[in-house]
Amino acid sequence: MSQTEFFVPSHISQLYARAIVPNVPRTTNGRIVVFVLSHGLLDNIDAPMFRHIQQTLCTLSIASVAFDFHGNGRSTGTTSYGNYHDEADDIASLVQHLHSVGLPNTNHVHVIGILAHSKGASSMMLFATKYAYLCPPLLVNLSGRFWLAREITMRWTQENQRQLRETGKFLWRRYGAKPTKSNEIITGSKQQLVREYWISMSDMAERAGTDMGVVQMLPLHRTFVLNIMGSKDQIVPDDDVWEYDRLMRMAAPQADRVVTRIVPGAKHFWNKER
């Protein structure tokens, strides 16, 4: 197994990526097959889930590239709460780079699929409709949200909402473990403040105005979609994944182009399950 880290130029930043290639990778027509991995909101490729997925793919002799969206992890630039279309452009930049330049030490690769989590999954769907000519044969939607205008219960505190009404923005604090409802800074071993993030009224409006109904325009004549959600997901309701399923099946030329599965006991971040 070889692991390399590199940067990919995008439309507005430099995207940090990590490639893991098995000693004897699978190939098609002489090209190494590659899976692309996309993270969720304010996450990065060092999250345990993505390291585990890359290692698992490696055991299956499949190469993979995980990358940080701009403004996240080690990528340059800034991010925002509602920039799904910008993140779709990031995915396009990476896929185009892999097609034209390849991986470090090899220029012959074929992107066979994208696995994306949460916000990244919604961005992946936008990518696949906007850049249909770059869409790979398989899309894996892991805990992706459909109704972006619907906010998560208890995500924002009353103080957050007051500041949003009065000033048009608020500072959101994210923790490495379970956050407190009061959003106070925790210095103990169980909860650590990992990021402070400004959210504005325009960010929320941009998110709410993003129409995921465009999945009906996916190139399903040559692409398969696997929708996966955990039965104990407390972040994204299960009716989101079933709406994806319904619209995709309406547009798919054959029913087997779309598969949807609910995994018993699994949560949103897939950190306690196998």
Side-chain angles (χ1 to χ4, degrees), residues 89-194:
D89 293 340
D90 282 351
I91 298 174
S93 295
L94 176 63
V95 172
Q96 184 65 63
H97 177 87
L98 293 174
H99 283 167
S100 59
V101 178
L103 294 171
N105 305 319
T106 177
N107 58 358
H108 300 291
V109 302
H110 174 59
V111 178
I112 60 166
I114 302 173
L115 184 151
H117 176 245
S118 197
K119 182 186 179 187
S122 301
S123 299
M124 174 187 70
M125 297 300 185
L126 296 174
F127 151 79
T129 56
K130 182 177 180 181
Y131 300 94
Y133 65 96
L134 293 176
C135 185
L138 176 61
L139 301 176
V140 181
N141 165 20
L142 190 62
S143 308
R145 183 180 295 277
F146 181 87
W147 281 288
L148 299 179
R150 181 167 58 184
E151 289 295 340
I152 301 171
T153 304
M154 300 300 293
R155 168 170 277 181
W156 316 129
T157 66
Q158 291 185 353
E159 179 62 17
N160 292 155
Q161 296 175 48
R162 182 192 65 79
Q163 292 179 8
L164 188 66
R165 289 193 303 270
E166 295 180 1
T167 68
K169 64 180 181 179
F170 64 88
L171 184 64
W172 183 35
R173 294 188 175 103
R174 284 205 64 191
Y175 296 87
K178 185 178 179 180
T180 60
K181 294 180 181 179
S182 61
N183 239 7
E184 63 184 316
I185 296 178
I186 304 296
T187 58
S189 60
K190 292 186 177 180
Q191 299 186 25
Q192 296 291 331
L193 178 66
V194 295

Side-chain angles (χ1 to χ4, degrees), residues 49-108:
M49 175 175 64
F50 285 96
R51 288 195 172 276
H52 176 72
I53 291 173
Q54 283 200 282
Q55 292 295 332
T56 300
L57 288 171
C58 188
T59 64
L60 298 173
S61 299
I62 298 175
S64 63
V65 176
F67 78 101
D68 292 329
F69 285 113
H70 68 273
N72 293 272
R74 279 165 274 186
S75 292
T76 63
T78 58
T79 188
S80 66
Y81 188 59
N83 66 337
Y84 290 78
H85 286 281
D86 287 342
E87 292 190 348
D89 293 340
D90 282 351
I91 298 174
S93 295
L94 176 63
V95 172
Q96 184 65 63
H97 177 87
L98 293 174
H99 283 167
S100 59
V101 178
L103 294 171
N105 305 319
T106 177
N107 58 358
H108 300 291

Side-chain angles (χ1 to χ4, degrees), residues 200-235:
S200 69
M201 191 75 77
S202 60
D203 293 335
M204 298 184 76
E206 182 182 16
R207 170 183 157 111
T210 302
D211 179 17
M212 297 308 304
V214 296
V215 295
Q216 294 179 90
M217 299 169 58
L218 287 170
L220 293 169
H221 60 287
R222 57 180 177 82
T223 298
F224 292 87
V225 180
L226 173 60
N227 300 302
I228 309 175
M229 173 167 277
S231 66
K232 292 187 177 180
D233 192 321
Q234 295 179 311
I235 304 298

Side-chain angles (χ1 to χ4, degrees), residues 14-73:
Q14 295 287 315
L15 304 175
Y16 172 78
R18 177 180 65 229
I20 294 182
V21 180
N23 292 330
V24 184
R26 295 190 187 188
T27 61
T28 178
N29 297 323
R31 295 181 295 171
I32 296 175
V33 298
V34 175
F35 239 94
V36 169
L37 308 180
S38 302
H39 64 76
L41 177 66
L42 300 184
D43 209 344
N44 61 72
I45 63 173
D46 290 324
M49 175 175 64
F50 285 96
R51 288 195 172 276
H52 176 72
I53 291 173
Q54 283 200 282
Q55 292 295 332
T56 300
L57 288 171
C58 188
T59 64
L60 298 173
S61 299
I62 298 175
S64 63
V65 176
F67 78 101
D68 292 329
F69 285 113
H70 68 273
N72 293 272

